[in-house]
Each structure stands twice: as C-alpha cells, then as structure tokens.
Amino acid sequence: MKEIIEAVMAKLKIGVPELRWIDLNVGQMNTENPPVDYPCALVDIANIDYSSAGCRRQLGTVTLEIELFFVVRAPANVAAPESLREQALSHFYIVQKVYTALEGLAGEHFTGLNRISSRRDKTYYPRGFTIVFRCSLEDRAAVPTYQKLSDVKPEIKMT
C-alpha cells in the first residue's frame, strides 16, 4: 500500500505542478479551516479486496481515491467576461491533468492504475472532485524467507 501512495504522490508532484498541496487524506477537510493550500490533492486507499495466490501470497484489487479541492472565485455564468469564465472552469483542466498523470502508473508490486469513476462532491466548499482508480497488487509479506545455511556436498567413500 505504501508503495502505491508514494508513487502516486510523487507522480502528482511532477505531473501536475498546479497542485499546491499533495497529502495523504487523514480527514483534513473535516476541520473548520483545513490545513491545506488550494488546489490540493488528498490521496487515500479506500478499499482492498484480497484473494489467495498460494504459498502465503495474496493478490489484492485496490481502490484508490484522489480527492481534489479547489477555491473557485470567478463567475462562470454566460454573462461574465470570457477570461473570468475560463478562470472559473480552470479546475476541470487540473482534474483532467491528474487523470492523465496517473492513468497507467505502475510499480514493482502493483499494476497500472485505471480510472473507474469520478464524481463531484457537493457537500464541501472548497469545490471537491474525486477520481477513483483501480489496480492490482501482490502482497508477499507473509511469505517465509529462507536462508541458505551452507553449500553441503555429500561425500561418498568406497572401502
């Protein structure tokens, strides 16, 4: 799990420089004055369904959520000047850029991320938008490790 979170956060930092805050989602938006800078991305693993792969290995189907938050100050109505409308709608460009940066991202123990849904959260201001990705991972943490004790060479003597 840690590998996925770290890879996603590193990719967002490089691929979407418009994001001013990239963090693990630990409930920051549930506070009165969220300790973030906007626009921000909060990354979280929402769910993992595991199945056995034998030899104490497990395969997991990971659901990863990227929550994006934006402060939209410009009017988007059709009577507003075009430059203000573009500014008001610019967060959709960042949402698309996040998808583009993360689609197909893979690591040593997880397959390429694949977007499965996106939704706008209407309960928050700043404006929230969630992109949900899915990937597979292999967990080998419970596989026993063996150490080679020595090179034993049988010796046969004939008498």
Side-chain angles (χ1 to χ4, degrees):
M1 289 182 280
K2 181 181 173 207
E3 178 190 6
I4 296 171
I5 296 285
E6 288 176 339
V8 165
M9 291 172 75
K11 185 69 171 184
L12 289 175
K13 182 178 180 182
I14 294 167
V16 191
E18 296 86 349
L19 292 170
R20 292 182 167 187
W21 191 267
I22 302 166
D23 201 354
L24 181 65
N25 189 342
V26 292
Q28 295 91 323
M29 300 311 288
N30 293 327
T31 63
E32 188 172 324
N33 292 308
V36 300
D37 198 4
Y38 301 100
C40 74
L42 302 177
V43 181
D44 200 9
I45 292 181
N47 187 57
I48 304 176
D49 291 320
Y50 288 102
S51 63
S52 177
C55 298
R56 298 179 68 178
R57 292 179 310 123
Q58 287 193 309
L59 299 178
T61 301
V62 179
T63 303
L64 177 83
E65 291 184 343
I66 311 297
E67 289 188 88
L68 304 167
F69 294 94
F70 307 92
V71 172
V72 180
R73 292 190 177 107
N77 68 70
V78 295
E82 186 175 337
S83 62
L84 290 179
R85 282 197 316 270
E86 284 181 27
Q87 183 181 349
L89 299 173
S90 67
H91 64 285
F92 289 114
Y93 166 75
I94 296 173
V95 170
Q96 187 65 24
K97 203 166 177 183
V98 167
Y99 157 68
T100 303
L102 297 180
E103 183 70 22
L105 176 67
E108 184 178 344
H109 299 287
F110 68 97
T111 62
L113 295 176
N114 183 267
R115 179 178 62 183
I116 59 168
S117 70
S118 58
R119 65 184 176 275
R120 188 169 95 64
D121 187 343
K122 296 179 181 181
T123 61
Y124 284 124
Y125 186 82
R127 186 175 175 94
F129 203 92
T130 302
I131 305 173
V132 182
F133 291 89
R134 186 171 290 151
C135 70
S136 297
L137 67 79
E138 180 182 23
D139 192 342
R140 302 176 64 87
V143 175
T145 55
Y146 299 99
Q147 291 183 333
K148 192 173 186 180
L149 297 177
S150 66
D151 289 325
V152 177
K153 296 181 182 174
E155 209 175 290
I156 301 174
K157 292 185 180 182
M158 306 267 289
T159 54

